[in-house]
Amino acid sequence: GLWLGAYPPRTVWSLPPDTPAAVQERYNTYCYPDAVVLAQTEDSQSVLTSDDKDILTRTRLKVLDVIKAPAGLAVGDQIAVVRSGGEVFNHGEHLRVRNDSWSDFSAGRVFILKLRAIHHAGMDHYFNLMYREAAMADMRLVDEWDLFAVGTPYADIQADLQRLPARYACPPSR
């Protein structure tokens, strides 16, 4: 079965008052999630909830690069992301729940993902997707994402986010 937890409230940590807004946003992008990874979709499976009121989709992705991750999550690992929406056949009916805020997780697509671990899911590397994922094409951003402009190369995003901990310490994990 699949499990989907409620999204935790967004926390904004305080940096010195003279910190530029762009640095504050990148700090929140890096510090708040348990993991920030570059990953490629492998496959997805949708299921109808037991009360027949929603469809949940579990997508398996392969980690291509790690910007930030908990111990034990590394390049080459598979992760699973659960999100609301998808389509299923139920008693001969085609049912679809569409969420326009999510990207198409077709096999082979590459994304930067901000993730929160589902610690009580009973398995390793199971995550809730936090906020909007960043679609990549030819290792460049397809859309604007967390103040990074369309076309920003992945290497620039990675370097920018990894510089933050050197200047500002993230608060302890929850």
Side-chain angles (χ1 to χ4, degrees):
L2 297 177
W3 180 90
L4 179 67
Y7 289 100
R10 182 166 181 167
T11 302
V12 177
W13 294 289
S14 296
L15 292 176
D18 59 340
T19 304
V23 172
Q24 177 74 49
E25 183 65 24
R26 286 183 171 96
Y27 178 82
N28 288 334
T29 293
Y30 183 85
C31 289
Y32 187 56
D34 294 320
V36 181
V37 299
L38 181 72
Q40 184 172 32
T41 56
E42 293 191 332
D43 59 42
S44 294
Q45 178 183 3
S46 297
V47 295
L48 187 62
T49 58
S50 59
D51 62 5
D52 293 342
K53 291 185 179 178
D54 198 4
I55 297 172
L56 301 177
T57 298
R58 174 184 140 306
T59 301
R60 286 185 321 138
L61 302 102
K62 182 176 182 179
V63 176
L64 302 177
D65 194 35
V66 172
I67 294 175
K68 173 190 176 184
L73 181 61
V75 171
D77 285 351
Q78 281 190 343
I79 61 174
V81 171
V82 178
R83 57 188 186 165
S84 181
E87 53 187 270
V88 297
F89 284 95
N90 185 44
H91 303 293
E93 271 188 281
H94 183 216
L95 306 174
R96 181 183 307 176
V97 173
R98 184 176 170 99
N99 187 335
D100 289 329
S101 65
W102 299 121
S103 294
D104 172 19
F105 268 12
S106 301
R109 294 200 63 204
V110 176
F111 297 91
I112 301 174
L113 306 171
K114 295 185 286 186
L115 305 166
R116 288 292 277 172
I118 302 175
H119 297 292
H120 52 283
M123 53 189 6
D124 293 336
H125 306 326
Y126 236 75
F127 294 94
N128 275 334
L129 186 62
M130 294 179 58
Y131 315 112
R132 190 170 59 88
E133 61 279 356
M136 306 293 289
D138 297 323
M139 296 306 284
R140 293 180 174 275
L141 276 181
V142 172
D143 298 307
E144 184 177 317
W145 181 74
D146 284 0
L147 302 179
F148 293 103
V150 172
T152 302
Y154 172 73
D156 292 354
I157 296 168
Q158 177 190 40
D160 192 75
L161 291 176
Q162 288 179 331
R163 269 194 306 271
L164 284 171
R167 296 188 313 194
Y168 308 102
C170 292
S173 295
R174 290 145 315 279

